[in-house]
């Protein structure tokens, strides 16, 4: 039994503010410990239930957040960015089940620190429907035949997962009270529930099925500014369908992830340039 884990930070118990999730914030070092502890809880549960291997992908921001020397030594870790498959880097047909830990709701929806890949995107849609990172990453998992068996995060993204992923287990470690406010379980209780759910997921992995892949994937991204959309429209195959909206049609989830990654960098560059002007004295 081979387990794949993609772990983000915004959906970890005890985390709700920007200061906690951005490197340099006073709360960021504590968030690294909380994130690492939830990863260890899932790893422990997976091995308790008979997993042979666990591969974990650090999927938050710069993707180098987990504390390596505190991570369960039985797991292997993928870290650093950019990565070809972004938050789904490393998943393959060799894996039996995927777990998404510390996930959050989509851009344009309620939920703690809700966004979709970039805090600069106003919304991301696939085939005309608003999507979260979990839903896009689950499609990449499905492309290699792997089902999503566990998702943890706030109550909003857990509700999304329960509708989108057949048979998925969820652990809501906090209830959203706003974009940067939450009612959270204690870290110890969150870890206990995650460990138990991970074990149950491994034991029941044989009953899960991957998502059905659409024949085509029509991606739309609402960029943060006109210059960002102008830059994104230079990507081959990407068209600009509104002042700040980009669209493209793809055959595979990997192509979607590649386009999202490029647009992420264009959006960030455009916003950095704008903020430099605003900061002039």
């Amino acid at each position: 039994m081979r387990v794949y884990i993609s772990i983000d930070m915004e959906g970890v118990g005890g985390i709700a503010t920007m200061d906690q999730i951005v490197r340099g914030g006073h709360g960021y070092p504590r968030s690294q410990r909380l994130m690492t502890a939830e990863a260890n809880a899932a790893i422990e549960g997976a091995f308790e239930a008979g997993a042979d291997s666990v591969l974990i992908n650090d999927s938050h921001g710069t993707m180098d957040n987990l504390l390596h020397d505190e991570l369960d030594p039985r797991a292997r870790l993928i870290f650093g960015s950019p990565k070809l498959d972004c938050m789904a880097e490393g998943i393959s047909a060799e894996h039996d089940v995927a777990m998404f830990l510390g996930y959050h709701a989509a851009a344009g929806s309620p939920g703690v620190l809700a966004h979709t890949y970039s805090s600069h995107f106003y919304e991301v849609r696939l085939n005309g429907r608003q999507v979260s990172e979990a839903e896009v990453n689950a499609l990449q998992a499905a492309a290699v035949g792997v089902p999503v068996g566990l998702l943890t995060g706030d109550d909003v993204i857990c509700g999304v997962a329960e509708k989108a992923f057949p048979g998925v287990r969820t652990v809501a470690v906090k209830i959203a009270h706003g974009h940067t406010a939450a009612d959270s379980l204690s870290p110890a209780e969150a870890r206990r529930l995650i460990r138990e759910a991970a074990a149950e997921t491994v034991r029941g992995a044989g009953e899960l099925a991957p998502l059905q892949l659409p024949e085509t994937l029509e991606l739309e991204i609402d960029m943060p500014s006109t210059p960002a959309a102008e830059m994104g429209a230079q990507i081959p195959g990407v068209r600009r369908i509104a002042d700040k909206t980009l669209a493209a049609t793809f055959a595979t989830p990997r192509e979607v992830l590649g386009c999202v990654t490029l647009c992420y960098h264009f959006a960030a560059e455009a916003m950095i340039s704008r903020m430099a002007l605003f900061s002039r004295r």
Side-chain angles (χ1 to χ4, degrees), residues 2 26 37 45 47 84 89 105 187 208 235 272:
R2 296 189 177 188
H26 295 296
F47 279 111
L84 177 63
E89 183 72 20
L208 299 170
I235 301 171
I272 289 169

Side-chain angles (χ1 to χ4, degrees), residues 135-157:
E135 291 160 285
V136 179
N137 296 335
L139 288 174
Q140 176 58 17
V144 293
V146 181
V148 178
L150 173 63
L151 180 140
T152 74
D154 72 7
D155 60 315
V156 179
I157 189 59

Side-chain angles (χ1 to χ4, degrees), residues 103-132:
Y103 270 54
H104 53 80
S109 68
V112 178
L113 298 164
H115 65 280
T116 306
Y117 293 102
S118 169
S119 59
H120 300 311
F121 294 160
Y122 287 116
E123 190 172 273
V124 176
R125 295 175 294 279
L126 272 180
N127 295 339
R129 187 177 63 84
Q130 178 193 71
V131 288
S132 66

Side-chain angles (χ1 to χ4, degrees), residues 43 48 71 124 133 137 140 146 153-154 173 175 196 209 224 235-236 276:
I43 295 166
E48 282 178 358
L71 194 67
V124 176
E133 296 166 1
N137 296 335
Q140 176 58 17
V146 181
D154 72 7
V173 300
I175 299 170
E196 292 177 355
I235 301 171

Side-chain angles (χ1 to χ4, degrees), residues 18 50 55 60 87 108 116 127 164 200 226 239 253 280:
M18 293 297 295
L55 176 66
H60 174 68
M87 296 176 73
T116 306
N127 295 339
E200 293 168 358
T226 300
R239 56 195 188 277
R280 285 181 178 175

